[in-house]
Amino acid sequence: MTTHQDFLSLVDTRSQRRRPPVVGMQFLHERAVRAPDIVGARAGFQAKGVTAADTLTGSLRLVRATSGDQTSADDLHLNLAFETNPTHVVFWYARTDTGYDDARKVDFLSVNAVGVGLRLFTDARGKLDARVGLAHRYENYALAGQPSLATPSMDLGLLFEREFGWAKMDSTLSVVPSFQSAQDFYIRHESSLNILRGEGPLSLKVGLSNDFRGQPLAGQVRLDTAYFLRAVYAWK
């Protein structure tokens, strides 16, 4: 298990209202528990479009961090997601996550999923969605002799948003278990609280993220947990 903390990062956020695409760069300093300092940078692009019938979101994220002479993070993720607006409580969605993760020795990775969503709860302050779908997960590795992973999977997810006035909470949970092996699954979780918001573009975000793999490569950790404190600048 790896635990680290993020400090002084500049990120992009969006509300549910229509806005033009968001472009920004994130710089972060991390301090690892029982490890040397981790220093890195993150660049990203995020955009969201909303119509009366559907919602389309896209993001590009590039992260690189080092600890001494070792690379602790070096990955790129391109995410696209489409969902129809709920009819009563049901909606359809499709999503893709494509990129690489050199720190985990993954030359290329891709998760593509389609399925049905359920709006379990909604009011003027927030919502709770559940997703159930079919996915295909593919990973090509940098290790010599390591066969590629190509497996049909399920796509399970929970998305929660809540506005408290003084703060906004966002939480996502994604589980992608393989149909071929019960031990082969991927879990991604992140929860955050956006606080100290005013009329200006700056605010503060605190949170927790977890990245868990059921069958990591040899020498790789199963669970990576991060606690973060970020200064947020939102273009409006």
Side-chain angles (χ1 to χ4, degrees):
M1 172 176 167
T2 300
T3 305
H4 59 271
Q5 297 176 319
D6 299 347
F7 296 95
L8 301 179
S9 56
L10 178 63
V11 299
D12 302 327
T13 60
R14 299 191 57 80
S15 71
Q16 297 299 315
R17 296 173 293 181
R18 298 181 189 176
R19 291 179 182 173
V22 176
V23 182
M25 181 166 287
Q26 180 184 56
F27 298 95
L28 56 133
H29 173 78
E30 302 176 338
R31 185 175 298 276
V33 176
R34 299 178 184 175
D37 282 356
I38 301 173
V39 180
R42 168 175 169 171
F45 170 88
Q46 183 177 359
K48 183 175 185 178
V50 180
T51 71
D54 50 52
T55 299
L56 177 65
T57 58
S59 65
L60 178 67
R61 184 195 68 187
L62 176 64
V63 179
R64 181 172 176 80
T66 59
S67 175
D69 58 355
Q70 295 183 342
T71 300
S72 60
D74 186 359
D75 59 85
L76 179 144
H77 285 267
L78 172 63
N79 291 275
L80 296 172
F82 170 85
E83 68 178 45
T84 62
N85 291 337
T87 302
H88 300 295
V89 297
V90 179
F91 61 91
W92 297 95
Y93 78 92
R95 73 179 186 93
T96 180
D97 180 3
T98 303
Y100 63 80
D101 190 340
D102 283 349
R104 285 187 178 268
K105 307 301 182 183
V106 181
D107 278 341
F108 179 80
L109 62 87
S110 180
V111 176
N112 301 288
V114 295
V116 63
L118 299 174
R119 180 73 37 96
L120 302 179
F121 171 82
T122 184
D123 63 10
R125 290 180 173 266
K127 65 179 181 178
L128 174 63
D129 290 347
R131 290 178 174 178
V132 180
L134 299 176
H136 184 269
R137 180 180 165 205
Y138 177 81
E139 293 183 357
N140 184 53
Y141 304 109
L143 298 177
Q146 179 69 40
S148 299
L149 171 71
T151 177
S153 307
M154 288 194 70
D155 186 48
L156 308 173
L158 286 174
L159 299 89
F160 176 73
E161 297 179 5
R162 191 66 178 173
E163 176 64 59
F164 298 105
W166 60 274
K168 182 183 179 183
M169 181 178 183
D170 291 283
S171 186
T172 61
L173 175 66
S174 175
V175 183
V176 183
S178 170
F179 285 129
Q180 297 177 333
S181 172
Q183 302 300 317
D184 188 7
F185 55 88
Y186 174 68
I187 301 175
R188 173 68 183 175
H189 158 261
E190 181 168 310
S191 293
S192 64
L193 197 64
N194 196 197
I195 59 176
L196 302 180
R197 300 174 301 166
E199 295 297 326
L202 289 174
S203 62
L204 190 67
K205 179 175 286 189
V206 295
L208 164 73
S209 66
N210 292 288
D211 186 298
F212 187 86
R213 292 173 182 261
Q215 291 183 330
L217 297 178
Q220 301 291 324
V221 297
R222 289 164 61 91
L223 175 63
D224 183 10
T225 298
Y227 305 91
F228 56 83
L229 172 63
R230 296 172 178 164
V232 179
Y233 188 96
W235 281 265
K236 299 182 179 182

